DNA sequence: CGACAACACCTAGAAGTTAGAGGCATGTCA
DNA sequence: TGACATGCCTCTAACTTCTAGGTGTTGTCG
């Protein structure tokens, strides 16, 4: 089965949006994204974790280890760089989104 | 340099939208997309041609050779399969687009 | 004539992202 | 004890776009 189109970059954007509000752990992000999007976006853990690791590597997220009821968790939080990254992604998304929409409109209104 | 985000599938979508109106040739598509999008999207030939070839391979486009003022051109046109493909892409784009927007609104990220 | 831009097509390979499958370990509850 | 949900992680495959090149023709300008 071919991968879903137009998804490129969306997981990262949604993750950063959530993390901009409060720190969260990986598993939590997975279920929160599904829930908040009404199952429109159902990214698995194999999708979320690599992105998390990359963002940490790029110093856009910071990690805090904690243990809750015997289970170790890694809480991720935005750094200043991460905030900039989010802004960049929002701008980028906005450009592409409006670009595609207006492209469609131009074609629809032409006679 | 990292690849542009959120672009995945967009070239194909725009190409199909244009080809749904009239047959066009590769070089024409390249410049038309740049022009129509006010240079928001500037896909090079190396991006357009492989997609064209794949769509023909999948029988979603048909080709017609022609020679205009001494220059040979390959005109591409949508087949019935191609029309279905366009519908699929439009739906897919719509889902992702609305998903991201509503996800943003819930969080208070309205622009 | 000779050089050069514009036109028109094409390929190969790299880069980057998501998806799937699976492996661990812990705590709870019947 | 066994079954199950929670929570973390890795590896590999698959997919798409992008860069950088290559080929050949036409028209133009000095």
């Amino acid at each position: 089965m071919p991968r879903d189109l137009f998804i490129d970059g969306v997981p990262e954007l949604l993750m950063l949006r959530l993390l901009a509000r409060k720190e969260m752990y990986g598993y939590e992000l997975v279920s929160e994204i599904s829930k908040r999007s009404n199952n429109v976006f159902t990214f698995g853990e194999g999708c979320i974790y690599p992105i998390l690791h990359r963002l940490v590597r790029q110093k856009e997220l910071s990690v805090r280890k904690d243990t809750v009821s015997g289970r170790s968790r890694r809480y991720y939080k935005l750094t200043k760089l991460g905030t900039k990254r989010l802004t960049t992604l929002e701008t980028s998304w906005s450009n592409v989104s409006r670009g595609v929409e207006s492209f469609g409109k131009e074609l629809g209104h032409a006679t």
Side-chain angles (χ1 to χ4, degrees), chain A:
Chain A
M1 254 213 291
R3 177 173 78 174
D4 283 342
L5 271 331
F6 310 117
I7 280 299
D8 207 73
V10 170
E12 185 180 339
L13 174 61
L14 301 190
M15 288 162 63
L16 290 180
R17 279 188 185 169
L18 289 175
L19 292 174
R21 317 195 76 217
K22 67 164 198 250
E23 61 176 14
M24 297 174 77
Y25 53 97
Y27 204 79
E28 191 183 7
L29 282 165
V30 170
S31 50
E32 192 69 9
I33 288 177
S34 294
K35 185 185 146 203
R36 276 198 124 81
S37 72
N38 284 69
N39 290 308
V40 172
F41 303 118
T42 53
F43 306 126
E45 305 165 43
C47 169
I48 297 300
Y49 282 110
I51 297 176
L52 242 22
H53 301 329
R54 172 170 55 83
L55 293 175
V56 169
R57 206 166 54 239
Q58 296 170 347
K59 306 221 184 294
E60 287 154 348
L61 292 183
S62 61
V63 202
R64 179 177 69 82
K65 281 190 185 179
D66 201 354
T67 301
V68 178
S69 62
R71 289 209 176 80
S72 79
R73 288 176 179 169
R74 286 168 198 278
Y75 283 92
Y76 296 88
K77 187 168 61 170
L78 252 71
T79 63
K80 281 188 181 173
L81 255 181
T83 305
K84 284 182 75 171
R85 173 72 175 165
L86 175 54
T87 304
T88 301
L89 287 192
E90 292 287 8
T91 303
S92 185
W93 163 259
S94 190
N95 286 339
V96 171
S97 179
R98 283 196 309 238
V100 171
E101 299 301 337
S102 71
F103 200 97
K105 278 181 188 170
E106 282 179 29
L107 288 179
H109 288 334
T111 45

